Amino acid sequence: MHLIPMRLTTFTDFSLRMLIHIALKPQGRATIAEVAQAYGISENHLMKVAHLLGQAGYVTTLRGRGGGLVLARPATDITVGEVVRRIEPDLALVPCFAKGDCVILPACRLKHALHAAREAFLAVLDATTLADIAVPDAELRGLLGIAA
Amino acid sequence: MHLIPMRLTTFTDFSLRMLIHIALKPQGRATIAEVAQAYGISENHLMKVAHLLGQAGYVTTLRGRGGGLVLARPATDITVGEVVRRIEPDLALVPCFAKGDCVILPACRLKHALHAAREAFLAVLDATTLADIAVPDAELRGLLGIAA
DNA sequence: CCTAAGATGCATTATCCATACACCTTATAG
DNA sequence: CTATAAGGTGTATGGATAATGCATCTTAGG
């Protein structure tokens, strides 16, 4: 038996917000400072998010003047499930005995149910693409202060 | 947009373990001290768990000598999903704007996807009963030190 | 070569949960 | 009727983890 920490951290939250923001920009380019301001969140933290998104191959990061972030793959090709799996640290398949503190592990049936439930959770997110959640309508752009 | 803290706390973990333990006992009765010892977990914490399980109507708590905990409903009637929904504090439907810190809430499409994913997660657990995960085989009882 | 942008590491702070402790209540045995 | 075994309750402490802040470096245009 074990505990599946399935909390989505703000790190993952910010990752998704950032991708949405970039996808909504007419030219498809945004800077960290711009996203941080739009959502009123920490620029420092966002920088780390941006870096990881770059390393994971979701965005291309451009340094220097006129730089910023650009989607590295089409929005229709990036699923929410994929991003969550990649960004959320504890969603990775961790052996239940990571802490080795459960006695009935070998015979634990709850483990299977929890695993199946988690897969069902991710399956729904796998069916949702960035294009689905970043529809460039006027309302969304308005709320984010993005000119059409 | 928001963040769904879907981590299962040890509180929920203990709740399920405790229910399993009671269900596995030949006479269907267990004490807090006994369960705490079997799993090597905090008796203090377990006591709060036991109390909540009692309030939620899953067990009947009996004070005094010869007391302990007894299932208040048949194991085939208690689903894991039901317990998780009841015990996990943040799984309750919290408005996304609980913190009021997200700008695009009104137009947020990610919200819907996350909500659907959570429902899929719980649906799997709804299909699992306590009887399914507390099968009284020799292995499980052996690991818990429960005599048949 | 100045400035705008991201990269990186470290330190600090905040949050939340698990745990411990202290004391109370209930009930049965003898 | 008292001792003891059980659960009930509230407060306080500690620890893990994550969010944040700060300092410094690197890269690229103009």
Side-chain angles (χ1 to χ4, degrees):
Chain A
M1 189 160 351
H2 59 169
L3 172 152
I4 300 183
M6 271 191 73
R7 159 180 48 189
L8 297 187
T9 59
T10 67
F11 205 93
T12 302
D13 191 27
F14 288 178
S15 296
L16 292 168
R17 293 199 207 188
M18 182 162 238
L19 289 174
I20 291 171
H21 195 102
I22 298 170
L24 287 177
K25 292 279 292 190
Q27 258 63 40
R29 192 183 66 78
T31 66
I32 292 173
E34 175 189 342
V35 177
Q37 196 176 16
Y39 286 103
I41 56 186
S42 160
E43 192 173 334
N44 290 282
H45 207 205
L46 253 195
M47 194 166 293
K48 288 157 202 198
V49 168
H51 184 217
L52 184 52
L53 286 178
Q55 284 192 320
Y58 296 119
V59 303
T60 302
T61 59
L62 303 166
R63 287 181 163 194
R65 275 224 174 162
L69 307 164
V70 181
L71 288 186
R73 290 162 50 189
T76 50
D77 186 45
I78 300 176
T79 70
V80 175
E82 184 190 346
V83 175
V84 169
R85 286 177 209 261
R86 174 68 196 245
I87 306 293
E88 270 295 317
D90 293 332
L91 221 53
L93 274 185
V94 184
C96 308
F97 40 83
K99 285 179 156 181
D101 57 358
C102 184
V103 209
I104 65 170
L105 245 180
C108 182
R109 292 165 205 268
L110 177 58
K111 183 174 59 180
H112 306 305
L114 288 174
H115 188 266
R118 195 187 61 184
E119 287 309 305
F121 175 83
L122 290 172
V124 171
L125 298 184
D126 284 339
T128 309
T129 71
L130 178 56
D132 293 330
I133 60 174
V135 180
D137 60 17
E139 185 183 11
L140 207 44
R141 280 198 169 136
L143 290 167
L144 285 172
I146 299 176
Chain B
M1 187 160 354
H2 60 167
L3 172 151
I4 300 183
M6 270 191 74
R7 160 179 47 188
L8 296 186
T9 59
T10 67
F11 204 94
T12 302
D13 192 26
F14 290 177
S15 297
L16 293 169
R17 294 198 206 189
M18 182 162 238
L19 289 174
I20 291 172
H21 195 101
I22 299 170
L24 287 176
K25 292 279 290 189
Q27 258 61 41
R29 193 183 64 80
T31 65
I32 292 173
E34 174 189 343
V35 177
Q37 196 174 16
Y39 287 103
I41 56 187
S42 160
E43 192 174 334
N44 290 281
H45 207 205
L46 254 196
M47 193 165 295
K48 286 160 201 202
V49 168
H51 184 218
L52 186 50
L53 286 178
Q55 284 193 320
Y58 297 119
V59 303
T60 303
T61 60
L62 303 166
R63 288 181 163 193
R65 275 224 172 161
L69 307 164
V70 181
L71 288 186
R73 291 162 50 189
T76 50
D77 186 45
I78 300 177
T79 70
V80 177
E82 184 189 348
V83 175
V84 170
R85 286 174 208 262
R86 174 67 196 244
I87 306 293
E88 269 294 318
D90 292 333
L91 221 55
L93 275 185
V94 183
C96 307
F97 40 82
K99 285 177 155 183
D101 58 358
C102 184
V103 208
I104 66 171
L105 246 179
C108 183
R109 291 167 207 267
L110 176 59
K111 183 175 59 181
H112 305 305
L114 289 173
H115 188 265
R118 194 187 60 185
E119 287 309 306
F121 175 84
L122 290 172
V124 171
L125 298 184
D126 284 339
T128 308
T129 72
L130 178 55
D132 294 329
I133 60 175
V135 180
D137 60 16
E139 185 183 11
L140 207 44
R141 280 202 170 131
L143 290 167
L144 285 173
I146 299 177

